Amino acid sequence: MKLPVSFGTRLLYRMLIPGFLLALLFLPICHLMATELSITVDLIIYFTMASVLSGWILSLWDMSIYKLFEGRSWPGFLFNWGLKLQKNRLAKWRKNAEKHRRSAKGNEYNARAFRYPINDGRYPAENREPTVMMPTELGNVIYGFETYPNTKYGADGVFYWHRIWHGLDKDMRQEIDEIQSVADGALYIATALLIGSLLFLIYAGIELTGWADIVVAMVWCHELGIAALLLFLAYIFYRRAIACNEAFGERIKAMFDHEINKLPIGPALIMIREKTGESFCGKSLPDKHVAAWRYLRWHMYRAPDTNISVDIESVRTKASGEDESRAAPKFPPEAPHKDAAK
C-alpha cells in the first residue's frame, strides 16, 4: 500500500484519476439504487465523494492488485499455463535476437529478454540467461528488478530496499516515488477498466432479463459492446503499466548500484561475530550481505562449509557453554563439615 500523503502528481495518479474512472463506471447502478430509494444526490457531490473513496480503496488493495496482474495469486493450473506462454515468448525473443544479432532489432529483442530474471552466479556461465519465474510479463519484469541486487551483489532486494530507502535524501525518494506512482496509476486504471467491463456485462444481463433499465437509451447489445471496449482499454493500460514498471525498475537497479556500499550491515556482522565467534575478514561482499540478511530477517546462522541454517541463539548457547566449561576452575572435592556428619 502506497497512500499519497500530500497533494501532487502522486495523489493524481494513484487516487484521483483511477477513483474518478471507477466512480463513473459505477454511476448507472448507483443512480438506479438512488431512484429506488427515492434519494437525490448532486452529481458533483457524488463524483467528489465516490472518486476519493474509490481511489482510496484501490490504494488499499495495492498488493492484491499487483499479485493478480503478476500472477502470484493465480491457481496452479492457470499459473502453469501462464508459465508455458511466457517461456514460449522468451524463447521467441531469444531466437529473434540471435537472428538479428548484428542489427538494432537484435539488440531490441535482447533488451526485452533481459528484463526477465537472470540466473545468478552459482550456475554455469552458459545458464546465466533470462528465465521465466512468473506467469505474466509484468510479473517477470518486476521479479527481474527485485532480484537484481541478489544476482549482482548477494543482497536480497526486497529486504534491503527499506534499509537503502531510509538513507536516501528527500528529493531522491520523492523522484523515485513519483516514477512508481505513474506505474501504480496505470495498473489501477487497468483494474478500474476491468471492473467496469464486468459491471457492463452485469448491466447487459439485467437489461436482457427486463428487471430494470440500468443505462438510459441503451439496450443490452450496446452494453456488451461497451464491456468489450473497456476490456480492450484495460489491456492497453496493462501494457503501459509494464512499460512504466520497466522504467521504475531501471531506477531501482541504479539506486542499488549507487547505494550498495552504504548498506548498514556492519552492526549485524558484529552481532554475528559476538554470538558465534565467526570473523568476516576476507569474506566477499555477497557473503556478508547474505549472512546479515539471514541474521536480521530470520535470526539464523549458517556455519562455513555447511548448507544448514540454525537458530543463532543455539550456536551462542553452545559456544557460551563450552567457554564456561573451559574457564571454570577445578578444585578438589570439599571435605564434609564436621557438623554435617553429626
Side-chain angles (χ1 to χ4, degrees), residues 8-69:
T9 56
R10 288 172 288 176
L11 180 69
L12 183 67
Y13 291 134
R14 285 193 176 123
M15 286 187 65
L16 297 185
I17 295 178
F20 176 81
L21 181 59
L22 205 54
L24 181 64
L25 295 169
F26 270 99
L27 180 60
I29 192 67
C30 291
H31 175 70
L32 177 64
M33 294 173 61
T35 303
E36 292 293 327
L37 297 173
S38 301
I39 299 174
T40 303
V41 180
D42 186 78
L43 281 179
I44 296 177
I45 296 176
Y46 166 78
F47 277 112
T48 301
M49 297 183 63
S51 298
V52 173
L53 180 61
S54 301
W56 179 67
I57 291 174
L58 285 173
S59 296
L60 285 177
W61 286 85
D62 172 82
M63 288 300 298
S64 298
I65 290 172
Y66 268 94
K67 284 182 179 180
L68 174 65
F69 282 95

Side-chain angles (χ1 to χ4, degrees), residues 15 116 125 184 284 291 305:
M15 286 187 65
Y116 280 31
D184 292 341
S284 67
D305 302 324

Side-chain angles (χ1 to χ4, degrees), residues 41-290:
V41 180
D42 186 78
L43 281 179
I44 296 177
I45 296 176
Y46 166 78
F47 277 112
T48 301
M49 297 183 63
S51 298
V52 173
L53 180 61
S54 301
W56 179 67
I57 291 174
L58 285 173
S59 296
L60 285 177
W61 286 85
D62 172 82
M63 288 300 298
S64 298
I65 290 172
Y66 268 94
K67 284 182 179 180
L68 174 65
F69 282 95
E70 291 177 38
R72 285 187 284 166
S73 58
W74 291 10
F77 74 95
L78 193 58
F79 190 95
N80 292 330
W81 175 75
L83 282 181
K84 185 178 180 180
L85 288 181
Q86 291 302 311
K87 288 178 180 178
N88 291 338
R89 174 177 289 182
L90 180 60
K92 182 179 179 181
W93 289 339
R94 297 294 283 163
K95 183 179 179 180
N96 288 334
E98 181 65 23
K99 181 179 178 181
H100 304 282
R101 58 182 175 178
R102 298 187 182 277
S103 66
K105 196 172 183 179
N107 292 334
E108 180 182 344
Y109 281 117
N110 257 331
R112 289 186 192 179
F114 275 86
R115 299 171 306 160
Y116 280 31
I118 301 175
N119 289 329
D120 62 28
R122 293 174 296 176
Y123 298 95
E126 61 270 15
N127 291 335
R128 291 184 214 148
E129 294 185 349
T131 185
V132 171
M133 299 299 295
M134 303 300 293
T136 67
E137 187 174 348
L138 178 64
N140 283 294
V141 168
I142 293 177
Y143 197 97
F145 70 73
E146 283 183 346
T147 56
Y148 173 85
N150 189 38
T151 303
K152 303 300 182 181
Y153 306 107
D156 186 276
V158 176
F159 178 78
Y160 283 116
W161 156 262
H162 298 286
R163 277 83 184 159
I164 286 183
W165 184 257
H166 282 289
L168 298 177
D169 59 72
K170 183 179 178 180
D171 292 338
M172 181 57 67
R173 281 186 290 179
Q174 184 174 346
E175 181 182 347
I176 292 175
D177 194 38
E178 285 181 355
I179 296 173
Q180 188 180 24
S181 70
V182 177
D184 292 341
L187 202 59
Y188 294 170
I189 291 174
T191 304
L193 291 168
L194 188 60
I195 294 172
S197 179
L198 296 175
L199 280 174
F200 270 83
L201 285 176
I202 295 173
Y203 297 162
I206 294 174
E207 295 264 5
L208 188 60
T209 58
W211 181 72
D213 187 14
I214 298 291
V215 184
V216 179
M218 281 192 182
V219 294
W220 63 270
C221 57
H222 296 157
E223 289 158 352
L224 286 179
I226 293 176
L229 176 62
L230 291 174
L231 186 61
F232 173 73
L233 291 175
Y235 176 75
I236 294 298
F237 274 92
Y238 167 71
R239 299 302 308 176
R240 294 313 306 161
I242 294 175
C244 293
N245 272 283
E246 288 176 26
F248 174 65
E250 289 302 317
R251 184 56 59 92
I252 294 301
K253 292 177 183 179
M255 182 193 71
F256 270 98
D257 291 337
H258 188 267
E259 303 289 332
I260 193 67
N261 286 326
K262 302 177 185 177
L263 277 177
I265 61 175
L269 298 180
I270 292 173
M271 292 304 300
I272 295 172
R273 185 180 62 193
E274 291 182 356
K275 291 174 181 290
T276 66
E278 180 181 354
S279 173
F280 288 91
C281 293
K283 294 282 186 178
S284 67
L285 186 61
D287 288 340
K288 293 178 181 179
H289 287 152
V290 172

